Amino acid sequence: MEQDPDARRLARIMHTTFFLLLGASLARFLLRHDWEARSPWIVALTGALASLYLLGPVIGTRATPRRIAWLGTVVAVWVLLVVLAPSFAWCAVPLFYTGLRTLPPRAALGLVALLTAFVVFAQVRLAHGGWDPNLIVAPPAVAALATGVFVYADRQAARQRALIDDLIRTRRELAAIERREGTLAERQRLSMEIHDTLAQGLSSQRMLLQAADRTWDGDPETARRHVRTAASIAERNLAEARRFVHDLAPADLAEGGGLEEALRGLAARESAAFRVDGAPVALPDRAQSALLRIAQGALANIREHAGATSAAVTLTYLDDQVVLDVADDGRGFDPADRPGGVRGHGLPAMRVRAEQLGGTLAVESVPGEGTVLSAAIPLDPEP
């Protein structure tokens, strides 16, 4: 309830009401009484009560020992004021609210009863001996009304918080169920597509190649026709496989852990160190997938070719780009000796992945001194 804007607004209203009642009570006393022996005490106690009340928001609203001690002091000063000048009695109404907010229910009701008793005492004194039933009935009625409204509002707020918590929890559970169902549906879709394309194509190739093998000696032309048909099917299957690879996110990212977790897991599997520099920002799925694939390729090159004893992966978030560095202490190589400054097929694929997102790939290596691969992707890449 303390974080509820309506509760904070009500608290401000009660604080304002308290100071208005306190100021009006002091003005009434000074206007109706000549300056006398008790007047300095009343003025001093009024100032002390106002100062103490101002400390309330600073101390907080939780029922801590400091808060309870503060509330006890405020009530004690108010009681002294009411004894000296009954006109201060109605300052009790904001104190009802303060006590109900601060104390446990039973203690709060006890405080309300005490404050009400002093209000009745003050009203009787102000009547100067005249009898009026309202003097006895009105203060308890006002106290009961104020307490009832507060308790009702507090319980309503508690029920609303519980309902909101249930709704949030239910929404999260539904989202998790939808994700699982979506994953299962996507797996089923892929399994059917693979069965209807790749699996059937491979089966057809196998049958055609077996037929070509059987007829190779007796009917070479038919055998070659079977081989050409199998090659055509293989070409179509290769196109389907490339489509699958393009559409699917890496498995590490599909698990929902994010790029940092995926890189951390990859580095751990490859016995490499991993570090993140800068403040992480949300990256598009394509950028996350590309950076993870580049890291996988770089670490695979290190494992297969570098002969390194250690490797490190660093992900750095800059103002305008994210940079992935993969370094090793292996045998290294001379990029100038390789066509286009690359070796094998891994580095060209990494470079293409980076360039598709408007980024760059740089390789620094010296024979015998290891290699550093750096991929930089703009945070707002060109579409």
Side-chain angles (χ1 to χ4, degrees), residues 14 19 88 127 175 191 208 275 278 300 332 348 370:
M14 287 296 175
F19 286 110
F88 286 86
S191 67
L208 287 167
R275 188 177 78 245

Side-chain angles (χ1 to χ4, degrees), residues 83-208:
V83 171
L84 292 174
S87 57
F88 286 86
W90 288 109
C91 293
V93 175
L95 294 181
F96 290 163
Y97 172 76
T98 303
L100 290 168
R101 289 183 73 210
T102 302
L103 299 175
R106 290 187 179 181
L109 292 177
L111 177 62
V112 169
L114 175 65
L115 295 174
T116 303
F118 273 92
V119 172
V120 171
F121 163 78
Q123 294 303 303
V124 171
R125 284 189 58 189
L126 287 174
H128 302 294
W131 171 250
D132 186 346
N134 280 335
L135 300 179
I136 306 299
V137 176
V142 171
L145 178 62
T147 302
V149 169
F150 177 86
V151 171
Y152 174 79
D154 188 57
R155 290 180 178 175
Q156 283 291 99
R159 283 192 287 266
Q160 289 179 357
R161 289 196 300 272
L163 179 60
I164 291 171
D165 291 341
D166 288 341
L167 289 174
I168 293 174
R169 182 167 56 253
T170 302
R171 186 173 63 181
R172 289 174 179 170
E173 292 174 354
L174 288 175
I177 292 173
E178 289 176 357
R179 284 196 298 270
R180 287 195 295 269
E181 291 179 348
T183 300
L184 292 174
E186 183 66 11
R187 287 178 178 175
Q188 184 177 14
R189 183 187 70 82
L190 289 174
S191 67
M192 291 188 296
E193 286 206 23
I194 290 172
H195 175 269
D196 294 341
T197 55
L198 298 182
Q200 290 185 355
L202 290 171
S203 178
S204 298
Q205 291 174 56
R206 180 174 177 274
M207 295 174 61
L208 287 167

Side-chain angles (χ1 to χ4, degrees), residues 329-364:
D329 61 354
R331 62 175 59 94
F333 67 100
D334 185 358
D337 293 340
R338 308 285 174 169
V342 297
R343 54 176 178 173
H345 299 286
L347 284 175
M350 298 179 209
R351 194 180 306 279
V352 169
R353 289 185 186 276
E355 290 175 352
Q356 286 177 341
L357 295 171
T360 59
L361 183 82
V363 179
E364 297 178 6

